[in-house]
Amino acid sequence: KIKGEVRDGLVEAQVVVLIGGSLFHGTHRLKFMLVDAGLKGRGVEAFLDLGLNGIAIFGSLGALYYALRGWLF
């Protein structure tokens, strides 16, 4: 059997991966939806890349912080 401490760590890691993956996938899709809707240009796409990836990174770090601190469970 898996010990409780290891199992909790695996659950926390899965939560971080799930939240981080969802954030990056969602922001990637949003960027291309906005580009398809008419926001085009090198500067606009660069701004969208920085802004949306920044949101995903910040959210992923937040999920990691909560998982490591144990506040999710």
Side-chain angles (χ1 to χ4, degrees):
K1 291 190 169 191
I2 298 176
K3 291 183 179 180
E5 296 169 0
V6 174
R7 190 176 63 98
D8 289 342
L10 290 174
V11 171
E12 290 174 352
Q14 289 174 347
V15 168
V16 170
V17 168
L18 180 67
I19 291 173
S22 298
L23 286 170
F24 278 100
H25 176 71
T27 56
H28 179 78
R29 297 276 300 177
L30 179 61
K31 177 202 171 209
F32 283 103
M33 286 183 351
L34 292 173
V35 168
D36 288 343
L39 288 175
K40 295 184 181 180
R42 270 182 40 198
V44 173
E45 289 189 34
F47 177 75
L48 287 174
D49 281 337
L50 288 174
L52 294 175
N53 284 330
I55 290 169
I57 290 169
F58 183 72
S60 298
L61 290 175
L64 181 63
Y65 174 76
Y66 282 121
L68 291 178
R69 296 286 299 196
W71 291 354
L72 280 178
F73 304 103

